[in-house]
Amino acid sequence: MAQLAKPAKRRRIRGDGAWAYAFIAVALVVFAMFTAYPVVSAFIISFQKYKPIGSEYVGFDNYIATFKDSLFWKSVVNTVVYTILTVPVSLIISFAIAILILPLKKKLQTTFKAIYYLPAVASGVALSVVWLWIFDPMPEGIFNKLIGFFGISNQNWLGSSATSMFSLVLMAWLSSHGTSIIIYLAALLGIDSSYYEAADLDGANFFQKLWYIVIPSLKPTTLFLLVTGVIGSFQVFQNAYLMTGGGPDNSTTMVGLLIFNNAFKYFEFGKAAAQSLVLAAIIALISLVQFKFMGKDVEY
């Protein structure tokens, strides 16, 4: 008689292997609780007229209402305008500051990096209070005093449809560059010095080195910052909520703020969930387009 095959012995996980699986388990639990579960819940709620008890299935009604909502499309336009005006300019500012910091000694580089990164660790509410003081519509406001030297009358920066969006854009231009500066500076320090030496032998000037060496070498970094910047700007909420509340006349209502209002102000959780998934789809599509047209010759 043929001998029965012996069952395979179970391998015990010991030592480093056990610790590795333990650390992975922690990350998976955190991901499941704070990412996977909320996404799945939002997907389910988007097909419901949600109530704490006794939710009603309504099919695609929330999505249909979203696409027919003129305020939703206005918030999308506001968000796109905000993104176009802030992200490219912020990248240029961060890149320029990183170029200026690069020739400095290491201690000075560290000092400037700390100075520029400091606002990133400060409370968003505290920063907004400072900016509310700067945009004060009274003559005592910083910007109103500044334009007063040029004979321009006081402006209601946050209370006028003509200036409210510009005020939020200006706020983005003049703050929140610390992370991008540090990333750009690290990428600049990673460029091989032999490229500069060869350029010096060929008699290249500063701008030629910048165009033919620095910018091509930083293309992966720029793509990363561009993609993350667009994602962040499409999810902007804090500035609009704290500075203008979406007004006046919804001129600064962003998609994130609209979703928040629908969920926690009007308690239309199903509609808010549908809008959040539509926003996620828009962000994913834009990211794919960016990788398609800018990531062809980028190595990761």
Side-chain angles (χ1 to χ4, degrees):
M1 294 178 63
Q3 293 183 351
L4 297 174
K6 295 182 179 180
K9 294 182 179 180
R10 293 183 178 178
R11 296 177 61 184
R12 293 185 178 182
I13 302 172
R14 297 179 180 179
D16 294 340
W19 280 108
Y21 279 103
F23 284 119
I24 292 173
V26 173
L28 287 176
V29 170
V30 172
F31 174 80
M33 289 178 61
F34 297 103
T35 302
Y37 175 73
V39 169
V40 173
S41 297
F43 180 76
I44 295 172
I45 292 173
S46 68
F47 295 100
Q48 298 176 340
K49 185 176 181 180
Y50 180 81
K51 299 176 183 177
I53 299 176
S55 297
E56 178 185 351
Y57 177 78
V58 293
F60 289 95
D61 287 358
N62 290 321
Y63 290 94
I64 295 172
T66 293
F67 290 122
K68 289 183 177 181
D69 188 356
S70 59
L71 181 56
F72 173 76
W73 292 113
K74 184 173 184 178
S75 69
V76 170
V77 172
N78 289 341
T79 306
V80 170
V81 170
Y82 178 84
T83 300
I84 292 174
L85 293 177
T86 58
V87 175
V89 175
S90 296
L91 288 180
I92 293 171
I93 293 173
S94 300
F95 176 73
I97 294 175
I99 290 290
L100 293 174
I101 294 175
L102 183 63
L104 302 178
K105 294 181 180 180
K106 190 173 182 180
K107 288 185 178 179
L108 276 176
Q109 286 184 6
T110 303
T111 301
F112 277 104
K113 285 191 290 185
I115 291 172
Y116 280 108
Y117 191 75
L118 187 61
V121 299
S123 168
V125 176
L127 291 176
S128 296
V129 170
V130 173
W131 278 100
L132 286 171
W133 172 56
I134 293 173
F135 286 127
D136 192 333
M138 302 301 290
E140 293 77 15
I142 298 270
F143 278 152
N144 278 336
K145 280 188 177 180
L146 183 62
I147 65 175
F149 289 111
F150 301 96
I152 303 174
S153 60
N154 295 339
Q155 299 293 319
N156 187 3
W157 296 98
L158 300 174
S160 170
S161 300
T163 57
S164 55
M165 177 61 76
F166 172 75
S167 300
L168 295 185
V169 170
L170 186 62
M171 180 181 174
W173 285 350
L174 299 179
S175 60
S176 305
H177 301 302
T179 302
S180 298
I181 291 171
I182 291 174
I183 293 174
Y184 262 134
L185 193 57
L188 287 168
L189 293 171
I191 299 175
D192 196 332
S193 60
S194 62
Y195 295 141
Y196 300 117
E197 294 170 0
D200 288 332
L201 292 175
D202 291 334
N205 57 34
F206 170 79
F207 293 102
Q208 289 173 325
K209 293 177 185 177
L210 190 68
W211 184 258
Y212 293 106
I213 297 175
V214 176
I215 292 178
S217 299
L218 297 187
K219 191 172 181 180
T221 304
T222 301
L223 178 60
F224 168 77
L225 291 175
L226 178 63
V227 172
T228 55
V230 169
I231 292 173
S233 64
F234 262 83
Q235 295 176 327
V236 66
F237 164 76
Q238 177 178 280
N239 293 351
Y241 178 73
L242 295 175
M243 300 294 293
T244 64
D249 193 25
N250 291 311
S251 59
T252 57
T253 297
M254 310 295 182
V255 182
L257 179 59
L258 179 65
I259 293 171
F260 175 86
N261 287 338
N262 283 330
F264 301 106
K265 188 175 181 180
Y266 306 117
F267 303 106
E268 296 181 3
F269 294 101
K271 188 176 181 180
Q275 290 174 345
S276 65
L277 292 175
V278 172
L279 175 62
I282 294 173
I283 292 173
L285 180 61
I286 294 175
S287 300
L288 288 174
V289 171
Q290 289 174 314
F291 278 108
K292 177 70 175 178
F293 291 98
M294 296 188 61
K296 292 180 179 179
D297 56 346
V298 175
E299 296 180 1
Y300 302 98

